[in-house]
Amino acid sequence: MSQQNFPLDRGAPPVDVIPAPLPADQYSDPLQLQVEMKKIWATGWIFVGPRHHFPTTAGYTPITVAGQPILITYHDEQLKAFYNVCAHRGCQLTETAAYDRNSLSCPYHAWVYGIDGNLRSARDFSGSGSNNVPPSGDKVTALTPVSIDTWLDFVFINLDSQAMPLAEALEPITKRWKHVDFSSLEHVASLEYDFSANWKLIVENFLESYHVPFLHKDLNKYSPATGRYQVQLANNINGIGTQPYEGVSIDNKPLPQWPSEENINYAEYFNASPNFLLGFMPDHLFAWSLEPDGPNRTKEVLHFYFPANSATVPQFEEHRRITLERWKNVNDEDHDIVQKMHHGLASGALKKAQLSPVMERNILRFQNHILDETQGE
Ligand code: FES
Ligand SMILES: [Fe+2]
């Protein structure tokens, strides 16, 4: 593991502020969000939830990806994804998930689609009382497919048919943590937050530890800011690390760790832009998703996992409860402060934020990534 420690020594020479690359008004501007949706969200792998959120037998689940209506189905023992849009005249097909169903019907003129995406019937299309299907084999008679893939328990969608495979997109992270075996993960809990804030502020808050000693006094005890470092694994993947990271221990009995070649005493957190927030700890992991609802509102869903059959057994119930309580406290504190950030930035008082080139290097990198991807619009 490579790391860069913060030069926290009090004798460190002063550094000058750096004006933030992104103007403050780009955190509440609907046009900016439209550009980000088109250039970043509609071209990247978007984390949409754990595998059990989607059908495991025949059925379908409607979701929103990059602001677009998408349908996830399960057919032929695999997940498939399509635009949730009728091939006839474009009506949104459904807003409701259904299980043990092999087909769905458009609410407008009742065209029926199988969960494989193919049109099955188009009643009255050739005149009242008819029930034939327009010529088969024609793409027009099928739902428009989109890419879907999974890594560990996490389901991702990509609206860009030219996008690199998910495994390649996440490789910088999987390579860095290849010494640990996460295959035994078990989903233990989820949490949801509704932010009155722009999605980028949630990512920026996730990527800096400058605020940890001031906002997260408890976190700072078991995961101190003095042992934190910043890493960039790709243009769209930034992260922070923390060493040491002390997992929950009761009567000197710690939670069992993930199977690994080494005894791990550190944690690392990554944002694979735009919406995947991933955290590896020695004894658990988390995967969080973001979903903007306009420039001023974002839903965040948090999923927590522990090593199955070791950390998930009843004897460690209290360890898990404390671990999850720690994260709830940290996230409650972040939820409050990020909303204050959004409110303050939206006032127009600042044209641009000011960054520490040492403590907020990740924010600089993240904002430059946003600028690089959205420039020219
Ligand atoms: S728009 Fe769906 S059947 Fe007409
Ligand atoms: Fe925080």
Side-chain angles (χ1 to χ4, degrees), residues 38-39 78 80 100 105 121 134 152 154 165 174 218 252 276 327 329:
K38 188 170 145 203
K39 299 280 193 163
Q78 52 178 314
K80 294 184 190 295
D100 294 324
S105 173
S121 75
L152 295 179
F154 317 132
T174 52
D218 284 337
N252 284 327
F276 188 41
W327 280 119
N329 292 341

Side-chain angles (χ1 to χ4, degrees), residues 104-118:
L104 72 164
S105 173
C106 177
Y108 204 178
H109 312 93
W111 281 27
V112 175
Y113 298 88
I115 51 173
D116 58 0
N118 290 321

